[in-house]
Amino acid sequence: MAKQEEKRQGQHGTQSDKAGSAGPGGSGGAVDFIREIINEHNQTGRFGGRVHTRFPPEPNGYLHIGHAKSICLNFGIAQEYGGKCNLRFDDTNPSKEDVEYVESIMEDVRWLGFDWEDRLYYASDYFEQLYQWAIELIKSGKAYVCDLSAEEIRDYRGTLTQPGKESPYRNRSVKENLELFERMRAGEFPDGSRTLRAKIDMAHPNLNMRDPVMYRILRATHHRTGDRWCIYPMYDWAHGQCDSIEQITHSICTLEFENHRPLYDWFLDQLGIYHPQQIEFARLNLTYTVMSKRKLLQLVSQGHVRGWDDPRMPTISGLRRRGYTPEAIRSFCARIGVAKVDSVVDIQLLEHCIREDLNRRAPRVMAVLRPLRLVLDNYPEGRVELMEAINNPEDPSMGTRTVPFSRELYIERDDFREVPPPKYYRLAPGREVRLRYGYLVRCTDVVKDPATGEVVEVHCTYDPATRGGDAPDGRKVKGTIHWVSAPHAQTAETRLYDHLFTQPNPEEVPEGQDFTVNLNPKSLETVTALVEPSLADAKVGERFQFERLGYFCVDPDSLPGKPVFNRTVTLRDTWAKIEKALKLGED
Ligand code: ATP
Ligand code: MG
């Protein structure tokens, strides 16, 4: 992965912080195959040097990280070449579409940092034009009204090894076809009773060319055209013509449309209209993730997650709520690059991108997720010191803040072991550690729950000469742990997320079951954390590094004085690695 990543990064040049990036077509270095094609077109003058792309979502769900790849590609290419990119809703299937989805898609594209300016289009804007073109095809004997049912059409279609059978309605006269098609539009026939089909070749080796359906009868209220239409164009009939109408130069889509290209070409050629170039690339797949809107909708509607923007979802809105930044997502999309063959990207790369971004910009704070009480027996009761803490060691311009320190603190339960294993450098009986921004403290005693034997309180003495964390006598301590002052701590509901699925490939399931059997029952754990008082008024969407624990983002469920945090991603936990290595060694 690392090597591949390096190569791809090289291909794309440096990743800037703005959505806009430098250099047309990655000038200087090698470029990916799509930019290569565009460069060639620009050289030969195929589109007169124009580059005009589009992002064409169907508003039948929320956008996911796979769509982000397509968005970054389409809008990114337009930016690099000084071209344009349209946002076009592919709204040809009213029964599954909704304005809620339209709105969320626009919000997500904008949030990712892209702008379609005044080029917002809908396939439904072109329904009349598409209808007129269909009439043209009928007139030239290239389309016919067919009375076969959907099931019959499927049966007649044949297979990859067997040619299809011609429909008995295939040779209707132009006049009859025109009349029937008009009556289809006028609503004279029941849903599903007739279709308009292209008249191509029922023996064509490409099944898409075997008289594909262009229109179906469907009485469904469309979110834009209302009940004006009861026939709707099929995706394959609409898509290429929409691109043509908008004078798209490069119609970039995913590999599954590769064998639809001959059909798009056929339609454009029959109509004799402007011809964009379709280019296919491999869709993004991620480990531990499902990436189809149908499956994401199933997760939402069956209540496996709290909604489309549940922070465990691979949706843009879920990632946003989780604390991802547009910069991190764009950087991820640049690093994975584009290829001609399907592959699966390790979700750790996505996590790496957000860590890298937040490391630069997230202020550090102290918070304790699983508190253990620590009492400094020799620290004066009632005394409070304000300790100066650095907001971001990566960025001195982010300044400092003060954190209250007192006799009673909370530390992380994990940072104390009564019987410390080898290489454990945190607190244990008799051991000395550094309290971050505080003092060196040595453990003198523990209090246990008499019933369970569990340590419920740790007693220490502090060394007053070590304020700030350094000992004047030069003695070294290996461990530094974080803390919050007990009387000052703010409680905060904190949601810890793990992968939504337990399997790298969630689709790998026993016969007869679906991907939901691989759902991770521990994908969400909620704890009541104790956080430093400065976080009481954290604003929704603000991101922090909880020192030593990970990056966290304030959730919209927060109320004034009652922040709720989502863990965006953990920090790499070296101890977990060591422990794992030790365990492996024991086995
Ligand atoms: P899904 O399969 O998730 O339902 P879709 O392809 O049906 O997605 P569309 O709304 O049609 O969703 O997609 C809009 C654009 O995004 C299309 O050009 C499509 O090719 C692209 N796209 C969808 N999924 C991915 C993906 N995983 N990786 C890259 N591009 C994608
Ligand atoms: Mg689709």
Side-chain angles (χ1 to χ4, degrees):
M1 164 69 73
K3 208 169 168 190
Q4 218 175 350
E5 204 182 298
E6 199 177 274
K7 199 169 123 228
R8 285 174 173 155
Q9 258 180 304
Q11 284 176 354
H12 288 269
T14 48
Q15 188 53 22
S16 76
D17 270 343
K18 293 186 280 102
S21 61
S27 57
V31 296
D32 61 60
F33 78 97
I34 296 182
R35 288 161 171 97
E36 231 163 58
I37 294 173
I38 297 175
N39 289 345
E40 198 191 307
H41 287 162
N42 284 348
Q43 265 161 26
T44 60
R46 160 124 183 236
F47 296 105
R50 250 177 3 102
V51 174
H52 199 153
T53 56
R54 83 288 174 266
F55 173 63
E58 184 183 352
N60 61 351
Y62 281 60
L63 297 181
H64 51 60
I65 181 79
H67 293 114
K69 175 177 179 179
S70 177
I71 293 168
C72 289
L73 194 57
N74 280 294
F75 281 95
I77 281 177
Q79 273 169 349
E80 284 169 37
Y81 287 91
K84 290 176 179 157
C85 180
N86 297 356
L87 175 62
R88 183 199 319 136
F89 287 100
D90 223 325
D91 54 350
T92 53
N93 191 3
S95 48
K96 290 190 175 161
E97 295 161 5
D98 198 285
V99 277
E100 178 195 346
Y101 300 137
V102 170
E103 276 155 19
S104 75
I105 289 168
M106 292 201 276
E107 182 185 357
D108 290 349
V109 174
R110 271 198 212 102
W111 179 78
L112 276 175
F114 298 105
D115 186 2
W116 55 89
E117 297 171 328
D118 55 352
R119 295 178 309 280
L120 171 63
Y121 301 112
Y122 295 83
S124 56
D125 294 342
Y126 311 133
F127 279 176
E128 184 60 38
Q129 172 69 79
L130 290 167
Y131 180 80
Q132 295 304 331
W133 274 332
I135 287 178
E136 234 178 82
L137 285 197
I138 294 173
K139 283 183 176 162
S140 58
K142 299 290 183 188
Y144 63 96
V145 173
C146 181
D147 300 0
L148 294 181
S149 67
E151 202 182 318
E152 287 166 329
I153 290 179
R154 222 174 301 123
D155 288 345
Y156 275 62
R157 208 170 171 218
T159 63
L160 281 174
T161 49
Q162 277 184 322
K165 259 194 323 187
E166 294 193 348
S167 161
Y169 306 97
R170 197 172 199 262
N171 296 313
R172 277 178 164 150
S173 68
V174 169
K175 185 167 168 282
E176 190 185 0
N177 280 322
L178 282 175
E179 194 188 296
L180 284 172
F181 188 49
E182 243 164 67
R183 292 172 63 196
M184 275 171 65
R185 179 184 184 167
E188 288 189 28
F189 309 119
D191 284 10
S193 62
R194 287 191 158 98
T195 57
L196 183 75
R197 299 176 66 179
K199 194 169 177 176
I200 309 180
D201 179 1
M202 286 308 291
H204 201 287
N206 182 339
L207 267 70
N208 293 311
M209 300 296 275
R210 296 186 186 170
D211 290 11
V213 172
M214 295 163 60
Y215 277 92
R216 63 213 194 278
I217 306 176
L218 178 69
R219 282 169 182 79
T221 303
H222 188 281
H223 60 102
R224 281 177 65 82
T225 59
D227 295 317
R228 224 173 302 152
W229 293 88
C230 66
I231 56 170
Y232 287 97
M234 300 300 289
Y235 181 85
D236 279 347
W237 166 243
H239 197 76
Q241 277 70 263
C242 292
D243 284 340
S244 176
I245 293 170
E246 294 175 14
Q247 300 273 305
I248 298 305
T249 55
H250 300 90
S251 170
I252 300 169
C253 62
T254 36
L255 281 180
E256 69 271 21
F257 292 102
E258 192 165 18
N259 53 15
H260 295 240
R261 175 153 40 91
L263 176 58
Y264 297 162
D265 289 344
W266 188 87
F267 283 137
L268 295 169
D269 291 343
Q270 298 307 314
L271 295 169
I273 57 176
Y274 167 83
H275 206 135
Q277 175 66 54
Q278 176 171 308
I279 306 170
E280 305 88 11
F281 71 98
R283 59 196 299 123
L284 170 66
N285 300 298
L286 266 186
T287 56
Y288 297 99
T289 308
V290 295
M291 198 89 89
S292 108
K293 282 183 282 188
R294 189 176 56 74
K295 289 180 185 135
L296 298 178
L297 175 61
Q298 185 183 341
L299 291 174
V300 174
S301 56
Q302 293 182 348
H304 298 296
V305 293
R306 294 181 181 183
W308 285 99
D309 69 344
D310 186 301
R312 291 166 293 179
M313 291 281 271
T315 50
I316 312 267
S317 50
L319 290 167
R320 174 166 62 233
R321 185 163 183 177
R322 175 114 168 210
Y324 272 76
T325 60
E327 289 82 357
I329 294 177
R330 292 201 304 262
S331 158
F332 170 74
C333 290
R335 284 177 199 199
I336 56 175
V338 285
K340 259 291 192 200
V341 277
D342 278 315
S343 65
V344 183
V345 173
D346 192 329
I347 195 164
Q348 288 189 46
L349 178 59
L350 181 62
E351 292 170 353
H352 171 76
C353 291
I354 187 61
R355 277 193 195 103
E356 190 181 66
D357 189 31
L358 293 180
N359 180 43
R360 277 192 302 248
R361 63 160 102 195
R364 274 56 170 169
V365 292
M366 291 198 283
V368 172
L369 297 182
R370 295 177 175 86
L372 174 63
R373 203 172 182 81
L374 183 144
V375 182
L376 301 177
D377 291 318
N378 61 338
Y379 194 90
E381 302 239 16
R383 177 159 155 196
V384 177
E385 284 180 89
L386 292 178
M387 302 308 209
E388 187 174 40
I390 295 167
N391 286 334
N392 187 349
E394 301 287 321
D395 181 0
S397 77
M398 288 172 71
T400 59
R401 68 190 185 288
T402 55
V403 187
F405 184 90
S406 68
R407 185 173 189 267
E408 298 199 3
L409 310 167
Y410 285 104
I411 61 167
E412 210 66 61
R413 192 159 276 285
D414 252 9
D415 284 339
F416 175 81
R417 292 282 174 96
E418 200 177 6
V419 184
K423 295 193 186 169
Y424 184 88
Y425 300 122
R426 309 177 208 171
L427 201 57
R431 292 266 184 93
E432 188 172 47
V433 295
R434 176 183 298 105
L435 295 178
R436 181 92 160 136
Y437 302 122
Y439 292 96
L440 300 188
V441 301
R442 187 180 299 280
C443 176
T444 51
D445 199 5
V446 296
V447 179
K448 291 183 185 177
D449 179 326
T452 62
E454 189 194 13
V455 173
V456 292
E457 197 171 280
V458 175
H459 284 257
C460 290
T461 53
Y462 87 111
D463 178 350
T466 59
R467 188 181 157 134
D470 288 316
D473 63 8
R475 74 181 186 276
K476 296 273 179 261
V477 295
K478 271 196 168 164
T480 300
I481 65 175
H482 62 275
W483 50 272
V484 291
S485 165
H488 303 93
Q490 158 81 43
T491 58
E493 179 181 330
T494 302
R495 299 170 183 169
L496 309 175
Y497 301 105
D498 195 356
H499 297 145
L500 190 50
F501 295 95
T502 54
Q503 299 296 319
N505 177 5
E507 317 277 352
E508 224 171 77
V509 291
E511 182 93 21
Q513 299 192 297
D514 81 354
F515 68 97
T516 55
V517 300
N518 284 328
L519 278 163
N520 178 4
K522 296 188 184 132
S523 61
L524 167 61
E525 182 191 358
T526 302
V527 298
T528 302
L530 294 170
V531 304
E532 60 173 77
S534 69
L535 290 181
D537 304 313
K539 306 276 175 300
V540 170
E542 269 189 290
R543 306 177 183 94
F544 300 92
Q545 185 195 94
F546 289 3
E547 289 212 26
R548 302 177 60 234
L549 297 173
Y551 294 98
F552 291 74
C553 179
V554 183
D555 190 84
D557 286 346
S558 301
L559 295 171
K562 284 187 81 180
V564 175
F565 289 96
N566 293 315
R567 184 172 67 197
T568 311
V569 67
T570 58
L571 301 176
R572 256 150 300 178
D573 184 349
T574 39
W575 172 250
K577 270 190 203 152
I578 292 170
E579 204 160 48
K580 206 167 153 192
L582 289 176
K583 276 218 182 87
L584 286 174
E586 279 166 18
D587 283 351

